[in-house]
Amino acid sequence: MIEKEFQKPRPRKSFAQHWLKSEKALNEIIQASELQSTDRVLEIGPGTGILTRRLLPLVQSLLAVEIDRDLCESLTKEFKRQENFLLLQGDFLELDIESHLKPFPAFQQQNKVVANIPYNITGPILEKLLGTIANPNLKPYDLIVLLVQKEVAQRLGAKPGSKAFGALTVRVQYLAECELICTVPAGAFYPPPKVDSAVVRLVPRQFEPQATDTGRLETLVKLGFGAKRKMLRNNLQSVVERDRLSQLLEKLEINPQARAEEISVSQWVTLANEL
Ligand code: SAH
């Protein structure tokens, strides 16, 4: 019986639709979001509204952006009487949300994002929410809680020296404090995705030390992680002379044999600043 409920409407692969059906995962998401009655929340990909239903009674306003027309119809049917709910139909990555919100001041300037997002566009969604090192979002959110692929969550929350610590880790941790809240098994969705999932919590921040040349930091990170398992000094050969790099690494008390994944975010920034 219950399974049948979840099968409606039939999930579309092209929109990476996997309906969350785990009460436990929903509770984790809600708890991690620390919702307050003054919060203005953005939800990307509400789908059948399972998370929307939980969020609405807890927040001042909820703006949802859903690409699937049919789903938008049923969401509208269910929630149209809720004054704190607004739905925009369209591609979250393409939509000029700000201009659509002009007639709806109560839904402008969301301070939190809470969503079980489509995994196929995780990178671009993170970039739209946080910006990039060189071009950070100037109106950052207070808090972002997302359900993502477990491997991505591990990368986002990784500590230097661990296998999961990569270019994505440095790029995102420079913009936000990241924490893996809990893992969510594939069986918590209908249909189950090929991978396990996890809830992550991002708190946008101004990183200290700030990069003096953000473009240089981006280049350095890209090159530094370019060839896996190679020592940093080999990967950076094209941008800095060997001797100069050795000197710098020594000054920063970084092992000259270090690999990119062993360098902490603040060491990356310092390295870029000193180059
Ligand atoms: N939040 C729901 C659905 C998650 S599946 C749940 O937890 O059950 C991902 C949702 O994102 C789907 O509803 C899908 O239609 C929507 N989606 C996919 N690509 C999108 C895009 N580019 N912009 C907005 N929504 C999108």
Side-chain angles (χ1 to χ4, degrees):
M1 257 313 262
I2 288 170
E3 275 297 310
K4 242 193 192 147
E5 282 289 301
F6 292 121
Q7 288 174 26
K8 269 193 271 172
R10 174 185 272 158
R12 293 196 164 115
K13 250 197 180 150
S14 58
F15 290 148
Q17 292 175 348
H18 298 275
W19 311 139
L20 186 60
K21 56 175 189 174
S22 152
E23 206 57 38
K24 185 162 172 273
L26 281 165
N27 289 337
E28 294 276 8
I29 296 172
I30 295 291
Q31 208 173 20
S33 310
E34 294 173 357
L35 294 167
Q36 295 185 336
S37 55
T38 49
D39 281 334
R40 299 165 166 232
V41 174
L42 165 68
E43 185 188 1
I44 305 155
T48 58
I50 189 156
L51 180 57
T52 320
R53 237 163 263 134
R54 297 285 299 265
L55 291 168
L56 271 173
L58 302 174
V59 302
Q60 189 180 94
S61 65
L62 177 65
L63 169 70
V65 181
E66 171 58 59
I67 199 169
D68 186 320
R69 262 173 216 282
D70 297 337
L71 290 176
C72 284
E73 234 170 72
S74 39
L75 286 164
T76 306
K77 232 182 236 163
E78 177 173 354
F79 297 117
K80 69 176 173 217
R81 273 186 209 90
Q82 306 247 10
E83 277 177 16
N84 63 341
F85 178 72
L86 182 70
L87 177 65
L88 295 180
Q89 195 254 310
D91 181 342
F92 173 71
L93 299 176
E94 302 290 331
L95 217 55
D96 179 358
I97 293 177
E98 211 168 305
S99 73
H100 280 92
L101 290 182
K102 283 217 177 97
F104 307 102
F107 294 89
Q108 289 164 3
Q109 292 171 359
Q110 306 87 33
N111 68 315
K112 288 186 184 171
V113 182
V114 183
N116 167 22
I117 60 173
Y119 294 175
N120 58 337
I121 52 170
T122 302
I125 287 178
L126 285 173
E127 199 170 311
K128 182 149 181 184
L129 296 177
L130 297 170
T132 60
I133 290 178
N135 198 5
N137 183 351
L138 295 175
K139 288 188 229 154
Y141 298 96
D142 297 333
L143 184 68
I144 301 171
V145 175
L146 302 176
L147 196 52
V148 298
Q149 203 174 316
K150 182 172 149 192
E151 199 211 332
V152 175
Q154 286 169 332
R155 287 192 171 281
L156 295 179
K159 302 230 156 45
S162 73
K163 236 179 155 179
F165 194 91
L168 180 72
T169 315
V170 179
R171 286 202 291 258
V172 175
Q173 286 190 6
Y174 181 78
L175 299 165
E177 192 187 312
C178 304
E179 189 190 347
L180 193 159
I181 301 289
C182 66
T183 57
V184 177
F189 302 84
Y190 177 82
K194 289 202 185 74
V195 290
D196 285 333
S197 299
V199 179
V200 281
R201 190 172 183 278
L202 313 181
V203 183
R205 62 173 165 193
Q206 273 245 334
F207 194 82
E208 280 302 324
Q210 279 282 298
T212 48
D213 181 340
T214 50
R216 192 195 292 150
L217 176 59
E218 280 188 334
T219 310
L220 204 66
V221 169
K222 190 172 165 205
L223 289 172
F225 285 96
K228 284 222 177 96
R229 315 229 42 82
K230 257 201 184 172
M231 281 183 277
L232 189 68
R233 60 172 191 220
N234 295 331
N235 282 346
L236 295 184
Q237 251 168 11
S238 63
V239 280
V240 51
E241 265 179 50
R242 243 188 131 93
D243 290 349
R244 169 110 177 82
L245 185 63
S246 300
Q247 271 173 11
L248 255 179
L249 293 178
E250 197 176 329
K251 186 172 160 200
L252 304 180
E253 296 181 355
I254 298 170
N255 172 2
Q257 321 254 341
R259 300 173 200 281
E261 65 265 26
E262 295 167 71
I263 315 280
S264 72
V265 181
S266 63
Q267 284 174 326
W268 277 107
V269 178
T270 313
L271 201 59
N273 287 354
E274 300 258 338
L275 266 186

